[in-house]
Amino acid sequence: MDVLVLRLLLDAGFFMAVFNPLISGGNYMLKWGLRTVLAAWLVWIVVNWKKKDLAGRVHDIVLTEVKMLAVIQVYELVIQGFAGWQEKCAPYVCFFAVVAILLLRAGRLVGGSQEKSRFWGANGVEIVSLLAVTMVLSSDVVKSAAWKLLGGIYMNLILPVLLFFLSLLQMVLMMLEPILGWLFSGFEQVEYEPQVDSQTAQDFLPFTGNETLTGTPVWAKMVGMACIVLILAVIFYFLYKKLSLAGSGRDREIRGEVKKSTLGVADRKAAKRRSLFEEKNVRYYYRRFLELCRKNGMEPETVSVTSEMMQRIAVENWGEEESVGAFTDLYREVRYGGKVDEEPERKTAKSLYKKMKNIAENSKKA
Protein backbone atom coordinates (compact mmCIF):
# COMPACT_ATOMS: atom_id res chain seq x y z
CA MET A 1 0.00 0.00 0.00
CA ASP A 2 2.81 2.41 0.84
CA VAL A 3 4.52 1.79 -2.52
CA LEU A 4 1.21 2.42 -4.32
CA VAL A 5 0.72 5.75 -2.54
CA LEU A 6 4.30 6.80 -3.33
CA ARG A 7 3.80 5.86 -6.99
CA LEU A 8 0.67 8.03 -7.15
CA LEU A 9 2.51 10.94 -5.56
CA LEU A 10 5.48 10.44 -7.90
CA ASP A 11 3.37 10.56 -11.06
CA ALA A 12 1.36 13.50 -9.76
CA GLY A 13 4.56 15.43 -9.02
CA PHE A 14 5.97 14.56 -12.46
CA PHE A 15 2.76 15.65 -14.21
CA MET A 16 2.54 18.96 -12.36
CA ALA A 17 6.24 19.74 -12.88
CA VAL A 18 5.71 19.36 -16.63
CA PHE A 19 2.22 20.79 -17.18
CA ASN A 20 1.72 23.30 -14.36
CA PRO A 21 2.65 26.26 -16.63
CA LEU A 22 -0.39 25.35 -18.76
CA ILE A 23 -2.61 24.52 -15.78
CA SER A 24 -1.84 27.83 -14.06
CA GLY A 25 -2.55 29.79 -17.25
CA GLY A 26 -5.79 31.54 -18.14
CA ASN A 27 -7.18 28.91 -20.51
CA TYR A 28 -9.89 27.06 -18.58
CA MET A 29 -10.19 24.31 -21.19
CA LEU A 30 -6.51 23.38 -20.83
CA LYS A 31 -6.60 23.79 -17.07
CA TRP A 32 -9.50 21.43 -16.40
CA GLY A 33 -8.62 19.10 -19.29
CA LEU A 34 -5.14 18.47 -17.90
CA ARG A 35 -6.50 18.00 -14.38
CA THR A 36 -8.97 15.44 -15.73
CA VAL A 37 -6.15 13.58 -17.48
CA LEU A 38 -4.13 13.49 -14.25
CA ALA A 39 -7.10 12.19 -12.24
CA ALA A 40 -7.85 9.51 -14.85
CA TRP A 41 -4.21 8.37 -14.86
CA LEU A 42 -4.09 8.05 -11.06
CA VAL A 43 -7.31 6.03 -11.11
CA TRP A 44 -5.84 3.78 -13.83
CA ILE A 45 -2.78 3.08 -11.64
CA VAL A 46 -4.97 2.10 -8.68
CA VAL A 47 -7.14 -0.20 -10.80
CA ASN A 48 -4.22 -1.92 -12.56
CA TRP A 49 -1.73 -1.93 -9.66
CA LYS A 50 -2.00 -5.66 -8.96
CA LYS A 51 -3.34 -6.69 -12.35
CA LYS A 52 -0.21 -5.45 -14.18
CA ASP A 53 2.17 -5.90 -11.25
CA LEU A 54 3.21 -2.23 -11.44
CA ALA A 55 5.12 -2.61 -8.17
CA GLY A 56 7.64 -4.78 -10.03
CA ARG A 57 8.85 -1.82 -12.14
CA VAL A 58 9.49 0.77 -9.45
CA HIS A 59 13.16 1.25 -10.29
CA ASP A 60 12.58 1.47 -14.06
CA ILE A 61 9.69 3.90 -13.72
CA VAL A 62 11.62 6.27 -11.42
CA LEU A 63 14.66 6.33 -13.71
CA THR A 64 12.49 6.89 -16.79
CA GLU A 65 10.66 9.83 -15.22
CA VAL A 66 13.89 11.34 -13.88
CA LYS A 67 15.47 11.29 -17.37
CA MET A 68 12.40 12.79 -19.04
CA LEU A 69 11.95 15.44 -16.36
CA ALA A 70 15.62 16.48 -16.57
CA VAL A 71 15.30 17.15 -20.31
CA ILE A 72 11.89 18.85 -20.10
CA GLN A 73 12.90 21.19 -17.29
CA VAL A 74 15.75 22.59 -19.38
CA TYR A 75 13.21 23.75 -21.96
CA GLU A 76 10.87 24.97 -19.21
CA LEU A 77 13.68 27.07 -17.77
CA VAL A 78 14.55 28.58 -21.17
CA ILE A 79 10.93 29.32 -22.10
CA GLN A 80 9.71 30.73 -18.79
CA GLY A 81 12.89 32.27 -17.43
CA PHE A 82 14.27 31.56 -13.98
CA ALA A 83 11.61 33.54 -12.10
CA GLY A 84 8.71 31.84 -13.90
CA TRP A 85 10.27 28.39 -13.58
CA GLN A 86 10.93 28.95 -9.87
CA GLU A 87 7.30 29.88 -9.30
CA LYS A 88 5.52 27.29 -11.48
CA CYS A 89 7.81 24.25 -11.73
CA ALA A 90 10.46 24.27 -9.00
CA PRO A 91 8.14 23.28 -6.08
CA TYR A 92 6.88 20.22 -7.97
CA VAL A 93 10.40 19.27 -9.08
CA CYS A 94 11.54 19.29 -5.43
CA PHE A 95 8.45 17.30 -4.41
CA PHE A 96 9.15 14.78 -7.17
CA ALA A 97 12.79 14.38 -6.06
CA VAL A 98 11.84 13.62 -2.44
CA VAL A 99 9.11 11.14 -3.42
CA ALA A 100 11.44 9.45 -5.95
CA ILE A 101 14.06 8.80 -3.26
CA LEU A 102 11.44 7.40 -0.89
CA LEU A 103 9.95 5.21 -3.63
CA LEU A 104 13.35 3.78 -4.57
CA ARG A 105 14.01 2.95 -0.92
CA ALA A 106 10.57 1.43 -0.38
CA GLY A 107 10.80 -0.46 -3.66
CA ARG A 108 13.77 -2.41 -2.35
CA LEU A 109 11.50 -3.93 0.31
CA VAL A 110 8.82 -5.10 -2.13
CA GLY A 111 8.64 -8.87 -2.09
CA GLY A 112 11.41 -9.19 0.46
CA SER A 113 11.38 -10.45 4.01
CA GLN A 114 12.67 -7.27 5.61
CA GLU A 115 10.40 -5.56 8.07
CA LYS A 116 9.02 -2.13 7.20
CA SER A 117 8.30 -1.08 10.76
CA ARG A 118 11.41 1.08 11.03
CA PHE A 119 11.47 2.22 7.40
CA TRP A 120 8.99 5.07 7.77
CA GLY A 121 10.38 6.06 11.14
CA ALA A 122 13.93 6.49 9.85
CA ASN A 123 12.87 8.18 6.61
CA GLY A 124 10.31 10.32 8.41
CA VAL A 125 13.04 11.75 10.63
CA GLU A 126 15.09 12.60 7.53
CA ILE A 127 12.14 14.29 5.80
CA VAL A 128 11.18 16.32 8.87
CA SER A 129 14.81 17.37 9.34
CA LEU A 130 15.05 18.40 5.68
CA LEU A 131 11.83 20.42 5.90
CA ALA A 132 13.04 22.12 9.08
CA VAL A 133 16.37 23.08 7.51
CA THR A 134 14.56 24.31 4.37
CA MET A 135 12.15 26.46 6.38
CA VAL A 136 15.02 27.98 8.35
CA LEU A 137 17.15 28.70 5.27
CA SER A 138 14.19 30.17 3.35
CA SER A 139 13.04 32.45 6.18
CA ASP A 140 13.28 36.22 5.77
CA VAL A 141 15.75 36.51 8.66
CA VAL A 142 18.21 34.05 7.15
CA LYS A 143 17.84 35.48 3.64
CA SER A 144 18.36 39.02 4.96
CA ALA A 145 21.46 37.90 6.86
CA ALA A 146 22.78 36.10 3.78
CA TRP A 147 22.29 39.19 1.59
CA LYS A 148 23.99 41.36 4.20
CA LEU A 149 26.90 38.94 4.34
CA LEU A 150 27.22 38.85 0.55
CA GLY A 151 26.87 42.63 0.39
CA GLY A 152 29.57 43.07 3.02
CA ILE A 153 31.92 40.74 1.14
CA TYR A 154 31.26 42.63 -2.10
CA MET A 155 31.68 46.10 -0.56
CA ASN A 156 34.80 45.26 1.48
CA LEU A 157 36.62 42.77 -0.77
CA ILE A 158 35.43 42.82 -4.38
CA LEU A 159 34.52 46.49 -4.91
CA PRO A 160 37.87 47.91 -3.68
CA VAL A 161 39.72 45.63 -6.10
CA LEU A 162 37.49 46.74 -9.00
CA LEU A 163 37.95 50.41 -8.13
CA PHE A 164 41.70 49.91 -7.93
CA PHE A 165 41.83 48.47 -11.47
CA LEU A 166 39.53 51.25 -12.73
CA SER A 167 41.82 53.88 -11.27
CA LEU A 168 44.81 52.21 -12.95
CA LEU A 169 42.97 52.23 -16.27
CA GLN A 170 42.08 55.89 -15.78
CA MET A 171 45.72 56.77 -15.12
CA VAL A 172 46.85 54.91 -18.26
CA LEU A 173 44.24 56.69 -20.42
CA MET A 174 45.24 60.09 -18.99
CA MET A 175 48.89 59.34 -19.87
CA LEU A 176 47.89 58.35 -23.41
CA GLU A 177 45.62 61.37 -23.97
CA PRO A 178 48.37 63.72 -25.37
CA ILE A 179 49.66 60.98 -27.67
CA LEU A 180 46.17 60.17 -28.99
CA GLY A 181 45.43 63.88 -29.50
CA TRP A 182 48.63 64.31 -31.53
CA LEU A 183 47.96 61.21 -33.64
CA PHE A 184 44.38 62.23 -34.57
CA SER A 185 44.92 65.99 -34.79
CA GLY A 186 44.35 66.03 -38.58
CA PHE A 187 40.79 64.65 -38.37
CA GLU A 188 37.76 66.94 -38.29
CA GLN A 189 34.62 65.92 -36.42
CA VAL A 190 31.43 66.30 -38.48
CA GLU A 191 28.15 66.43 -36.57
CA TYR A 192 25.05 64.77 -38.03
CA GLU A 193 21.51 65.39 -36.92
CA PRO A 194 19.54 62.06 -37.02
CA GLN A 195 15.97 62.21 -38.28
CA VAL A 196 13.54 59.67 -36.80
CA ASP A 197 10.14 58.84 -38.31
CA SER A 198 7.80 58.31 -35.36
CA GLN A 199 5.04 56.80 -37.49
CA THR A 200 4.73 53.14 -36.42
CA ALA A 201 3.28 50.22 -38.32
CA GLN A 202 0.20 50.27 -36.11
CA ASP A 203 -0.45 53.90 -37.07
CA PHE A 204 -0.01 53.02 -40.74
CA LEU A 205 -2.55 50.14 -40.74
CA PRO A 206 -5.73 52.32 -40.91
CA PHE A 207 -4.49 53.85 -44.18
CA THR A 208 -4.14 50.44 -45.88
CA GLY A 209 -7.71 49.24 -45.38
CA ASN A 210 -6.51 46.13 -43.43
CA GLU A 211 -7.85 47.03 -40.00
CA THR A 212 -8.86 43.35 -39.45
CA LEU A 213 -5.18 42.43 -39.18
CA THR A 214 -5.11 43.97 -35.72
CA GLY A 215 -7.23 41.07 -34.31
CA THR A 216 -6.87 37.25 -34.49
CA PRO A 217 -9.60 35.43 -36.46
CA VAL A 218 -11.71 32.84 -34.66
CA TRP A 219 -10.73 30.07 -37.08
CA ALA A 220 -7.04 30.72 -36.35
CA LYS A 221 -7.69 30.38 -32.62
CA MET A 222 -9.53 27.07 -33.21
CA VAL A 223 -6.70 25.72 -35.38
CA GLY A 224 -4.16 26.72 -32.74
CA MET A 225 -6.17 25.02 -30.00
CA ALA A 226 -6.51 21.88 -32.12
CA CYS A 227 -2.73 21.80 -32.66
CA ILE A 228 -2.16 22.11 -28.92
CA VAL A 229 -4.61 19.29 -28.19
CA LEU A 230 -2.96 17.10 -30.84
CA ILE A 231 0.51 17.72 -29.40
CA LEU A 232 -0.72 16.93 -25.87
CA ALA A 233 -2.39 13.74 -27.13
CA VAL A 234 0.90 12.57 -28.67
CA ILE A 235 2.77 13.39 -25.44
CA PHE A 236 0.22 11.55 -23.29
CA TYR A 237 0.33 8.50 -25.57
CA PHE A 238 4.13 8.43 -25.31
CA LEU A 239 3.97 8.72 -21.50
CA TYR A 240 1.33 5.99 -21.34
CA LYS A 241 3.50 3.59 -23.35
CA LYS A 242 6.52 4.34 -21.17
CA LEU A 243 4.87 4.28 -17.73
CA SER A 244 2.17 1.59 -18.07
CA LEU A 245 4.29 -1.47 -18.81
CA ALA A 246 3.60 -4.50 -16.66
CA GLY A 247 6.10 -5.58 -14.08
CA SER A 248 6.24 -9.17 -15.26
CA GLY A 249 8.75 -8.27 -17.96
CA ARG A 250 6.89 -10.21 -20.66
CA ASP A 251 6.93 -7.21 -22.99
CA ARG A 252 10.70 -6.72 -22.80
CA GLU A 253 12.83 -7.88 -25.67
CA ILE A 254 15.46 -10.56 -25.07
CA ARG A 255 18.76 -9.08 -26.20
CA GLY A 256 21.23 -11.60 -24.82
CA GLU A 257 21.91 -14.38 -22.40
CA VAL A 258 23.42 -13.95 -18.95
CA LYS A 259 25.43 -16.80 -17.47
CA LYS A 260 26.61 -16.81 -13.87
CA SER A 261 29.46 -18.85 -12.54
CA THR A 262 30.41 -19.14 -8.90
CA LEU A 263 33.37 -20.47 -6.96
CA GLY A 264 32.97 -23.24 -4.48
CA VAL A 265 33.32 -22.62 -0.80
CA ALA A 266 36.79 -24.19 -0.72
CA ASP A 267 38.05 -22.01 -3.61
CA ARG A 268 36.99 -18.67 -2.16
CA LYS A 269 39.56 -16.32 -0.67
CA ALA A 270 39.91 -16.35 3.06
CA ALA A 271 38.62 -13.36 4.97
CA LYS A 272 41.03 -10.54 5.76
CA ARG A 273 42.81 -10.67 9.09
CA ARG A 274 41.09 -8.57 11.72
CA SER A 275 42.81 -5.44 12.98
CA LEU A 276 43.66 -5.06 16.65
CA PHE A 277 42.21 -1.57 16.56
CA GLU A 278 38.86 -2.57 15.06
CA GLU A 279 35.89 -1.24 17.00
CA LYS A 280 34.11 -4.04 18.82
CA ASN A 281 30.53 -3.10 18.09
CA VAL A 282 27.45 -5.15 17.15
CA ARG A 283 28.54 -5.51 13.53
CA TYR A 284 31.97 -6.71 14.70
CA TYR A 285 30.48 -9.54 16.77
CA TYR A 286 28.08 -10.46 13.98
CA ARG A 287 30.99 -10.76 11.57
CA ARG A 288 32.69 -13.02 14.13
CA PHE A 289 29.51 -15.08 14.21
CA LEU A 290 29.58 -15.46 10.41
CA GLU A 291 33.26 -16.50 10.55
CA LEU A 292 32.32 -19.05 13.18
CA CYS A 293 29.68 -20.46 10.86
CA ARG A 294 32.16 -20.70 7.99
CA LYS A 295 34.77 -22.43 10.13
CA ASN A 296 32.18 -25.06 10.98
CA GLY A 297 31.27 -25.61 7.33
CA MET A 298 27.97 -23.74 7.49
CA GLU A 299 28.13 -21.59 4.37
CA PRO A 300 25.72 -21.72 1.43
CA GLU A 301 27.00 -22.40 -2.06
CA THR A 302 25.38 -19.24 -3.49
CA VAL A 303 27.28 -15.95 -3.80
CA SER A 304 24.58 -13.74 -2.28
CA VAL A 305 24.19 -14.54 1.40
CA THR A 306 21.50 -12.85 3.49
CA SER A 307 21.08 -12.66 7.24
CA GLU A 308 17.86 -14.72 6.95
CA MET A 309 19.76 -17.48 5.16
CA MET A 310 22.53 -17.60 7.77
CA GLN A 311 19.96 -17.60 10.58
CA ARG A 312 18.18 -20.60 9.07
CA ILE A 313 21.46 -22.52 8.55
CA ALA A 314 22.68 -21.82 12.09
CA VAL A 315 19.37 -22.92 13.62
CA GLU A 316 19.37 -26.13 11.55
CA ASN A 317 22.88 -27.05 12.73
CA TRP A 318 23.06 -25.70 16.29
CA GLY A 319 19.47 -25.21 17.33
CA GLU A 320 19.13 -22.26 19.73
CA GLU A 321 16.52 -20.61 17.55
CA GLU A 322 15.81 -17.95 20.18
CA SER A 323 19.48 -16.90 20.60
CA VAL A 324 20.28 -16.91 16.88
CA GLY A 325 17.07 -14.98 16.15
CA ALA A 326 17.86 -12.38 18.82
CA PHE A 327 21.40 -11.99 17.47
CA THR A 328 20.16 -11.55 13.89
CA ASP A 329 17.41 -9.09 14.90
CA LEU A 330 19.89 -7.01 16.88
CA TYR A 331 22.23 -6.85 13.89
CA ARG A 332 19.42 -5.83 11.53
CA GLU A 333 18.18 -3.09 13.85
CA VAL A 334 21.66 -1.59 14.12
CA ARG A 335 22.61 -2.11 10.47
CA TYR A 336 19.37 -1.14 8.73
CA GLY A 337 16.85 0.07 11.32
CA GLY A 338 18.73 3.11 12.62
CA LYS A 339 19.13 1.79 16.15
CA VAL A 340 22.00 3.39 18.08
CA ASP A 341 24.95 1.04 18.64
CA GLU A 342 25.84 1.74 22.27
CA GLU A 343 27.35 -0.20 25.16
CA PRO A 344 24.21 -2.21 26.15
CA GLU A 345 23.74 -3.43 22.57
CA ARG A 346 27.44 -4.35 22.30
CA LYS A 347 27.35 -6.31 25.55
CA THR A 348 24.30 -8.23 24.33
CA ALA A 349 25.99 -9.01 21.01
CA LYS A 350 29.17 -10.14 22.80
CA SER A 351 27.28 -12.47 25.14
CA LEU A 352 25.27 -13.97 22.26
CA TYR A 353 28.44 -14.53 20.22
CA LYS A 354 30.17 -16.25 23.16
CA LYS A 355 27.12 -18.45 23.67
CA MET A 356 27.13 -19.51 20.02
CA LYS A 357 30.90 -20.11 20.18
CA ASN A 358 30.49 -22.43 23.19
CA ILE A 359 27.70 -24.31 21.41
CA ALA A 360 29.96 -24.73 18.33
CA GLU A 361 32.84 -26.04 20.46
CA ASN A 362 30.55 -28.48 22.31
CA SER A 363 29.10 -29.74 19.06
CA LYS A 364 32.62 -30.49 17.79
CA LYS A 365 33.48 -32.49 20.93
CA ALA A 366 30.27 -34.41 20.68
Side-chain angles (χ1 to χ4, degrees):
M1 184 63 183
D2 46 1
V3 179
L4 171 60
V5 173
L6 287 174
R7 172 66 192 276
L8 296 175
L9 294 176
L10 181 82
D11 285 9
F14 173 82
F15 188 92
M16 294 301 295
V18 174
F19 296 106
N20 189 51
L22 295 176
I23 294 176
S24 59
N27 193 309
Y28 288 96
M29 184 180 295
L30 280 177
K31 178 183 296 186
W32 292 106
L34 291 173
R35 288 177 177 175
T36 304
V37 171
L38 175 59
W41 172 249
L42 297 181
V43 171
W44 184 91
I45 292 177
V46 174
V47 173
N48 293 275
W49 182 250
K50 292 184 178 180
K51 188 185 301 182
K52 286 205 168 191
D53 187 25
L54 296 178
R57 290 182 54 88
V58 168
H59 185 266
D60 294 340
I61 291 298
V62 172
L63 290 185
T64 301
E65 291 190 359
V66 167
K67 292 175 183 178
M68 289 192 293
L69 192 63
V71 175
I72 294 172
Q73 291 307 305
V74 173
Y75 291 97
E76 297 272 14
L77 187 59
V78 172
I79 294 173
Q80 301 181 70
F82 183 76
W85 179 85
Q86 187 179 16
E87 178 185 356
K88 297 178 182 178
C89 298
Y92 296 104
V93 172
C94 296
F95 176 80
F96 172 84
V98 174
V99 176
I101 294 172
L102 280 176
L103 183 56
L104 286 175
R105 291 183 175 182
R108 295 175 60 186
L109 304 179
V110 175
S113 57
Q114 297 97 328
E115 295 182 0
K116 299 181 182 179
S117 58
R118 293 186 175 271
F119 173 80
W120 289 108
N123 288 276
V125 171
E126 294 181 5
I127 294 176
V128 172
S129 303
L130 180 62
L131 290 176
V133 172
T134 304
M135 291 177 63
V136 171
L137 294 179
S138 61
S139 63
D140 294 336
V141 177
V142 175
K143 288 192 291 186
S144 176
W147 281 116
K148 287 182 180 178
L149 178 62
L150 294 174
I153 293 174
Y154 176 79
M155 295 298 294
N156 295 305
L157 296 178
I158 301 176
L159 185 60
V161 175
L162 294 176
L163 292 176
F164 173 73
F165 283 107
L166 286 175
S167 62
L168 286 180
L169 179 61
Q170 183 181 11
M171 292 174 59
V172 172
L173 293 176
M174 291 178 64
M175 293 173 60
L176 294 176
E177 182 182 4
I179 301 174
L180 294 175
W182 177 75
L183 289 175
F184 298 97
S185 59
F187 292 89
E188 293 183 1
Q189 182 177 359
V190 180
E191 295 184 359
Y192 292 95
E193 225 175 276
Q195 296 181 356
V196 180
D197 187 2
S198 60
Q199 189 175 28
T200 63
Q202 190 69 26
D203 298 330
F204 185 71
L205 276 177
F207 299 99
T208 63
N210 295 323
E211 292 83 354
T212 55
L213 293 177
T214 57
T216 304
V218 177
W219 66 268
K221 293 181 180 180
M222 295 179 63
V223 170
M225 184 61 66
C227 292
I228 294 175
V229 172
L230 180 61
I231 293 172
L232 290 177
V234 173
I235 294 174
F236 291 147
Y237 179 75
F238 171 77
L239 293 176
Y240 173 78
K241 296 294 290 184
K242 283 288 184 181
L243 305 180
S244 64
L245 296 178
S248 61
R250 60 180 178 270
D251 47 357
R252 300 182 184 179
E253 296 180 3
I254 300 176
R255 299 180 181 269
E257 184 178 358
V258 178
K259 293 183 178 180
K260 294 184 179 180
S261 59
T262 60
L263 294 174
V265 178
D267 297 329
R268 297 178 190 173
K269 294 182 179 180
K272 294 182 179 180
R273 184 175 298 178
R274 294 188 301 272
S275 173
L276 296 175
F277 303 100
E278 186 176 0
E279 186 180 9
K280 295 183 178 180
N281 50 20
V282 173
R283 295 176 65 181
Y284 166 81
Y285 289 111
Y286 190 76
R287 285 195 296 270
R288 296 288 302 274
F289 167 70
L290 295 179
E291 292 175 11
L292 184 66
C293 293
R294 282 192 289 270
K295 287 179 181 179
N296 288 270
M298 292 183 293
E299 186 173 6
E301 292 293 332
T302 58
V303 176
S304 58
V305 181
T306 62
S307 58
E308 294 90 346
M309 190 182 300
M310 293 306 302
Q311 180 182 357
R312 185 175 63 253
I313 294 173
V315 170
E316 290 175 355
N317 287 269
W318 291 334
E320 292 294 332
E321 182 176 357
E322 184 177 352
S323 299
V324 176
F327 201 1
T328 306
D329 292 340
L330 178 61
Y331 166 74
R332 288 179 191 162
E333 290 175 356
V334 172
R335 181 69 176 85
Y336 304 107
K339 186 173 184 178
V340 181
D341 188 352
E342 294 181 343
E343 193 61 28
E345 287 76 16
R346 298 181 182 185
K347 287 183 178 179
T348 303
K350 183 178 180 180
S351 63
L352 289 172
Y353 166 71
K354 286 186 175 181
K355 183 176 182 180
M356 301 311 301
K357 186 177 180 181
N358 293 331
I359 293 173
E361 292 175 352
N362 295 330
S363 63
K364 279 184 178 182
K365 294 177 182 180

